[in-house]
Amino acid sequence: MAKSNSQGAQVSASKPMLGSYFGNHKKALSHTLNEQKKKPLASILTCAVIGIAILLPTLLGVFLSNLERSQLSFDNTTQMTVMLSKTLSPIKGATFAQELTKIEGIESAKFIHQDDALEEFKATFELESTLEHLSDNPLPHSIIVTLSESANTIEQAQKLRTSLLGKPEIDLVQLDLMWVQRLNSITNFLSLSTWILGLMLSIAVILILGNTIRLAIENRKDEIAVLKLVGGTDAFVCRPFLYLGIFYGIGGGIFSIILCSVVLAILAQPIEALTASYQSDFSLSGLNIETTLFILLVGTFLGWCAAKISVKQHISAIEPS
Amino acid sequence: MIQFINVGKRYSDGHEALKNVSFELARGEMAFLTGHSGAGKSTLLKLIMLMERASKGQITVGNQNLARIPPRQVPYYRRHAGVVFQDHKLLFDRTIFDNVAIAMEVAGTPPKEIAKRVRAALDKVGLLSKEKLTPIQLSGGEQQRVGIARAVVNKPPILLADEPTGNLDPELSAEIMKLFSDFNQVGVTVLIATHDLELISRLPYRVIELDHGHIRNEEAFVNG
């Protein structure tokens, strides 16, 4: 203590060196983790709550990306099936198909003979025996019209359809893309819903964690007062709580990744069975690395946010007395 | 080292704890602050620690006008003044070592340096062998010595104490006072608030007496 006279006589408000910055962080982090080890059940439960909250939008997101992937496998160019009048001969039909390509907005037109159509129909639906009882082919000649890129919107396709219906050679025009368009709208709707749900649950996570951290601050009120008394800055005092928030956030993220994998594993079988009944070889793809990292990042961010808000509100109120 | 010029402190509830208090404590001096309970002893110490701000007057500590220290700078200021409380204010979930170490951790001192200085401080108060225990395992006197070790581990130029012997028997109180005079011997400016008049009458230090917020009587004991 002998040096205190000469060295410490000057009272000043000097700041510490930056060199100890990382040491401080390491200490705060290890302190937070040690605290959590003392009450594992409470920590796990908090992480589980956060995990479940993150799980819901995550699952929706995974389903959505699967749905979008399945849409990608459809040819994105719009096609129309033009059923020709029964009175039209195949040769005239083929010529008519040639004429259609001259119309603006039509990229190509492929004539299909009624016999070919019947063959394909039989092959696809395995109705050979039933169809043999028919005396003649009930199918008309048809033309598959592919729209050019510029006309590839639902309005343009509708317009073209109306104008084609005006031609005497044409009986019926079927717009094949309708249901893909519908699927598209549903996907858009679900995507927006996922983001809204995600936003709502993010707020819920911040509220839950904010409250948990408020309780942690409350529990360590005496310690905070002592730390402030011996010269702990607000940043120093807040640090363990910020780490606590990040810890819960990452823990919640890990929980939701595990839960999500379990749920997807359970659902994979029924979904494949369902899609198989629609002649699809669709298979459910799970979490990829990007999504996994995204969830962890979101968890970390939410935890940090919650801690920051809570700490800002409550730590400054604690003063040594 | 510590200078009060016409300092007044009025709390928000209207209570006037200090009225027109002026005194000066020289560098390396040791003094007792006495007075009935409610006389303003604790308030005076809190003003020096910047736990409270003066309502009027000027307080200078080590050539620094306390009114000019913004809240952000208060933690750095506090590192230069050790303080000891009657209720020790120890952390019961940490070891004795950690309790003393926090005073250095807040300043970002490297762990090796902390270990060295904490052990030196614990050695000084005679508790080196108990560094791994928690406060609950110590007696009242020992707990108070942990508080003192924490207050001095940073080698502050100023040491304040608020009723440090309040709960201790006369023998332990004398030991604690001996520790304070030891620190004063090496140049630390010491100010101790106490109502233990019997004890301080046997010690050769100046006494500042507060009475309802005023300084009533100052007398300097001559070493004897």
Side-chain angles (χ1 to χ4, degrees), chain A residues 16-302:
Chain A
M17 286 176 297
L18 252 173
S20 56
Y21 184 77
F22 290 108
N24 265 343
H25 274 272
K26 210 173 126 195
K27 188 94 189 173
L29 180 61
S30 69
H31 184 70
T32 302
L33 293 180
N34 283 334
E35 285 286 303
Q36 296 318 301
K37 266 191 233 159
K38 285 183 203 162
K39 37 177 182 140
L41 190 66
S43 304
I44 288 172
L45 284 180
T46 306
C47 290
V49 170
I50 305 308
I52 290 167
I54 301 178
L55 173 70
L56 297 176
T58 305
L59 269 181
L60 255 181
V62 168
F63 287 135
L64 209 61
S65 75
N66 274 291
L67 209 58
E68 275 163 359
R69 196 169 48 89
S70 71
Q71 265 172 294
L72 281 181
S73 60
F74 291 108
D75 189 354
N76 213 21
T77 49
T78 311
Q79 286 191 336
M80 288 193 285
T81 310
V82 175
M83 307 289 188
L84 296 175
S85 162
K86 287 242 174 186
T87 55
L88 214 65
S89 72
I91 298 164
K92 277 193 175 165
T95 325
F96 183 63
Q98 284 292 318
E99 279 169 30
L100 283 185
T101 56
K102 286 171 191 144
I103 297 176
E104 203 193 324
I106 292 178
E107 172 104 3
S108 65
K110 186 185 168 212
F111 177 75
I112 292 170
H113 194 281
Q114 63 176 163
D115 294 345
D116 295 340
L118 188 66
E119 283 307 312
E120 200 189 324
F121 190 72
K122 278 180 187 170
T124 312
F125 297 100
E126 294 165 359
L127 293 168
E128 198 121 14
S129 54
T130 321
L131 291 173
E132 262 163 20
H133 295 294
L134 295 172
S135 53
D136 63 346
N137 187 347
L139 297 175
H141 300 299
S142 58
I143 300 171
I144 304 245
V145 172
T146 305
L147 300 186
S148 63
E149 201 118 325
S150 60
N152 195 6
T153 65
I154 197 151
E155 295 88 7
Q156 295 271 15
Q158 294 278 19
K159 228 160 113 185
L160 201 62
R161 178 173 180 266
T162 322
S163 80
L164 287 178
L165 277 172
K167 293 184 186 297
E169 295 91 341
I170 296 174
D171 255 5
L172 195 74
V173 179
Q174 255 182 345
L175 197 53
D176 293 345
L177 198 76
M178 281 302 274
W179 75 274
V180 175
Q181 293 273 12
R182 276 196 203 116
L183 189 63
N184 212 354
S185 319
I186 293 173
T187 316
N188 284 341
F189 164 75
L190 282 179
S191 165
L192 193 63
S193 308
T194 305
W195 283 109
I196 292 173
L197 186 72
L199 187 71
M200 292 296 160
L201 286 166
S202 295
I203 294 170
V205 166
I206 288 178
L207 291 178
I208 294 167
L209 277 187
N211 199 44
T212 308
I213 286 159
R214 183 184 63 81
L215 289 176
I217 292 172
E218 204 66 25
N219 279 337
R220 288 165 66 184
K221 222 172 170 171
D222 295 342
E223 181 180 340
I224 292 166
V226 169
L227 285 173
K228 286 192 171 186
L229 199 63
V230 296
T233 57
D234 277 4
F236 180 90
V237 175
C238 293
R239 211 165 281 143
F241 297 102
L242 291 178
Y243 276 118
L244 183 64
I246 292 173
F247 169 83
Y248 282 140
I250 292 179
I254 292 171
F255 234 96
S256 94
I257 289 164
I258 295 169
L259 285 176
C260 189
S261 308
V262 171
V263 171
L264 289 178
I266 294 170
L267 289 184
Q269 204 65 40
I271 285 181
E272 268 165 44
L274 180 72
T275 52
S277 70
Y278 284 97
Q279 268 92 42
S280 162
D281 56 356
F282 176 84
S283 76
L284 193 63
S285 70
L287 290 170
N288 53 23
I289 292 189
E290 286 91 343
T291 321
T292 310
L293 285 178
F294 180 71
I295 292 169
L296 288 177
L297 214 67
V298 166
T300 309
F301 177 72
L302 290 179

Side-chain angles (χ1 to χ4, degrees), chain A residues 1-5 7-17 20 24 27 31 35 38 220 222-224 226-234 236 319-321, chain B residues 1 27 46 49 51 61-64 73 75-80 83 85 89 91 93-94 102-103 105-108 124 150 152 155-158 183 186-188:
Chain A
M1 300 308 300
K3 273 170 89 182
S4 73
N5 188 19
Q7 252 195 353
Q10 195 62 39
V11 176
S12 70
S14 63
K15 293 198 175 195
M17 286 176 297
S20 56
N24 265 343
K27 188 94 189 173
H31 184 70
E35 285 286 303
K38 285 183 203 162
R220 288 165 66 184
D222 295 342
E223 181 180 340
I224 292 166
V226 169
L227 285 173
K228 286 192 171 186
L229 199 63
V230 296
T233 57
D234 277 4
F236 180 90
E319 275 299 325
S321 58
Chain B
M1 192 64 172
R27 179 158 296 170
K46 280 178 182 174
M49 284 310 286
M51 290 156 75
V61 176
N63 298 326
Q64 204 169 24
Q73 293 291 320
Y76 305 107
Y77 165 79
R78 282 186 185 151
R79 291 173 195 170
H80 297 281
V83 61
F85 294 91
K89 294 205 190 301
L91 302 176
D93 60 342
R94 301 202 191 188
I102 58 162
E105 282 167 8
V106 296
K124 177 70 194 150
R150 186 181 66 194
V152 299
K155 296 186 184 173
I158 295 170
F183 291 119
V186 296
V188 181

Side-chain angles (χ1 to χ4, degrees), chain B residues 50-115:
Chain B
L50 278 178
M51 290 156 75
E52 296 289 348
R53 297 269 184 174
S55 315
K56 65 187 200 54
Q58 184 184 313
I59 306 170
T60 315
V61 176
N63 298 326
Q64 204 169 24
N65 183 350
L66 295 197
R68 295 233 180 89
I69 297 179
R72 291 180 63 89
Q73 293 291 320
V74 167
Y76 305 107
Y77 165 79
R78 282 186 185 151
R79 291 173 195 170
H80 297 281
V83 61
V84 177
F85 294 91
Q86 181 176 1
D87 62 357
H88 327 313
K89 294 205 190 301
L90 301 180
L91 302 176
F92 284 82
D93 60 342
R94 301 202 191 188
T95 63
I96 300 308
F97 180 93
D98 287 341
N99 263 284
V100 178
I102 58 162
M104 300 195 79
E105 282 167 8
V106 296
T109 314
K112 265 190 190 165
E113 175 79 0
I114 292 181

Side-chain angles (χ1 to χ4, degrees), chain B residues 79-189:
Chain B
R79 291 173 195 170
H80 297 281
V83 61
V84 177
F85 294 91
Q86 181 176 1
D87 62 357
H88 327 313
K89 294 205 190 301
L90 301 180
L91 302 176
F92 284 82
D93 60 342
R94 301 202 191 188
T95 63
I96 300 308
F97 180 93
D98 287 341
N99 263 284
V100 178
I102 58 162
M104 300 195 79
E105 282 167 8
V106 296
T109 314
K112 265 190 190 165
E113 175 79 0
I114 292 181
K116 208 173 81 191
R117 297 262 293 269
V118 167
R119 297 214 166 91
L122 283 175
D123 190 29
K124 177 70 194 150
V125 299
L127 288 175
L128 189 53
S129 60
K130 304 199 170 174
E131 61 165 307
K132 290 197 173 72
L133 302 182
T134 56
I136 207 95
Q137 295 166 281
L138 302 186
S139 70
E142 287 172 326
Q143 288 185 12
Q144 190 54 287
R145 284 188 286 171
V146 177
I148 294 172
R150 186 181 66 194
V152 299
V153 71
N154 268 330
K155 296 186 184 173
I158 295 170
L159 184 55
L160 307 174
D162 193 0
E163 303 284 1
T165 60
N167 295 327
L168 306 177
D169 61 47
E171 204 174 317
L172 282 173
S173 298
E175 272 177 36
I176 297 286
M177 286 304 175
K178 171 82 172 61
L179 270 176
F180 283 117
S181 16
D182 286 351
F183 291 119
N184 177 243
Q185 289 295 309
V186 296
V188 181
T189 308

